[in-house]
Amino acid sequence: MRILAGMAVVAMLVAGTSTAQADTLEYVALGDSAAAGPLIPNQDPALWCLRSSNNNYPQVAAKILGAQLTDVTCSGAKTEDFSGRQFGFVKPQFDALKSTTDLVSITIGGNDVGLVQTALGCINLLPEPIGLSCRDRLTAGGDQVAAAIKGWAPEFGQALDEVKKRAPKAKILVTGYGTYIRPGGCYPVQPIWARDADYLQASVNLLSATARAEAEKRGATYVDLAAVSVGHDTCAKPSDRYLEGLIPTTIAAPLHPNAAGMAAFGATVARAAQQAQPSKA
């Protein structure tokens, strides 16, 4: 009888463990450096991806949700790296998706359209008119950044279709990018002329709006990080910034979210996950 009773207890414990595992939210994070958190302590041993191991927004959201996270975000990633090998050796991000995946977050597109390079090309150390406006240069004969975003849209849509195919029961969250610079900029705090600052943020907003449109076509949930970061842009005093400027004031990469920004973004993503309905079949 004692043996039988002992076996019954073991069976109950095993069943309880299996149930707990089954109830654990399986979360996969896909994306680029805006999700990975380059230089934010602590960094993942896979240093080529410049990914924070505990303070990027997927990590923050996973802690809030009590989720089991597989974070394959990688700095420098483009949409093609979801299905291909980034740097020639990093596994395709799509490989992390399973039929059992419950939640997927996606931040992508900035590298596809060259936003960081565009921003760097807008630096003017001296005030107008000594220099060259990046807006004037990039819109002469048509807006080059807007054209790149338009060309990227169908590729992103196809990527979302593949996520749904590989993780059919998952809630899919697509995040936009933050508010990097306020209207009119803040020259010389950030050495970008006012009209160029407005052009840059408008381009970021267009990329986010395009991602939102492709997501909503497929029943995915869009997470607006621009609204969360208003007043916390690169023009804010250092203690209030969610995004770093050309010269970071915390341990984070230039023109990227810092730890405070990732905490705010992670909380926003977690709320969206809690509220989101499963994406459409």
Side-chain angles (χ1 to χ4, degrees):
M1 290 295 291
R2 289 180 180 176
I3 293 175
L4 291 174
M7 291 176 65
V9 170
V10 170
M12 290 173 64
L13 290 172
V14 170
T17 300
S18 299
T19 300
Q21 290 175 341
D23 291 342
T24 300
L25 188 75
E26 294 187 29
Y27 170 22
V28 174
L30 310 176
D32 60 20
S33 56
L39 305 187
I40 297 174
N42 293 322
Q43 289 286 288
D44 190 288
L47 292 177
W48 45 86
C49 276
L50 291 174
R51 178 174 58 233
S52 177
S53 61
N54 59 338
N55 284 313
N56 61 14
Y57 88 64
Q59 294 286 348
V60 172
K63 290 169 190 173
I64 294 171
L65 296 168
Q68 178 182 330
L69 173 64
T70 302
D71 184 0
V72 292
T73 60
C74 192
S75 296
K78 296 181 178 181
T79 306
E80 65 185 17
D81 297 314
F82 284 172
S83 56
R85 288 184 177 269
Q86 189 176 349
F87 310 130
F89 64 89
V90 178
K91 288 183 179 180
Q93 293 192 26
F94 278 158
D95 286 3
L97 299 171
K98 304 175 186 176
S99 61
T100 56
T101 301
D102 300 301
L103 176 67
V104 180
S105 66
I106 306 171
T107 304
I108 202 73
N111 295 314
D112 293 80
V113 303
L115 279 185
V116 171
Q117 293 89 332
T118 297
L120 293 175
C122 290
I123 296 171
N124 276 297
L125 298 179
L126 297 174
E128 292 199 68
I130 307 170
L132 179 66
S133 165
C134 66
R135 185 195 70 175
D136 292 352
R137 174 171 52 83
L138 292 169
T139 59
D143 190 331
Q144 296 177 35
V145 177
I149 292 170
K150 183 178 180 181
W152 168 77
E155 181 183 5
F156 181 57
Q158 291 170 7
L160 291 176
D161 291 339
E162 185 65 19
V163 172
K164 183 61 182 175
K165 179 180 176 181
R166 292 179 181 237
K169 71 169 189 165
K171 295 178 182 179
I172 301 172
L173 307 181
V174 173
T175 83
Y177 290 86
T179 298
Y180 284 83
I181 196 161
R182 61 192 57 181
C186 53
Y187 192 94
V189 174
Q190 300 300 333
I192 297 173
W193 293 348
R195 54 184 162 143
D196 293 341
D198 291 343
Y199 172 73
L200 278 174
Q201 189 59 49
S203 298
V204 173
N205 293 345
L206 178 60
L207 178 61
S208 295
T210 301
R212 179 175 193 159
E214 293 300 318
E216 291 181 346
K217 286 177 188 177
R218 294 161 174 82
T221 297
Y222 178 76
V223 184
D224 185 359
L225 300 185
V228 177
S229 46
V230 168
H232 299 280
D233 59 276
T234 60
C235 294
K237 63 182 182 180
S239 60
D240 290 338
R241 290 180 190 172
Y242 287 173
L243 297 135
E244 294 295 337
L246 291 167
I247 300 176
T249 56
T250 64
I251 304 175
L255 307 178
H256 282 78
N258 57 26
M262 287 299 193
F265 296 163
T268 303
V269 168
R271 280 195 301 274
Q274 291 163 338
Q275 297 168 0
Q277 296 298 318
S279 47
K280 296 175 183 177

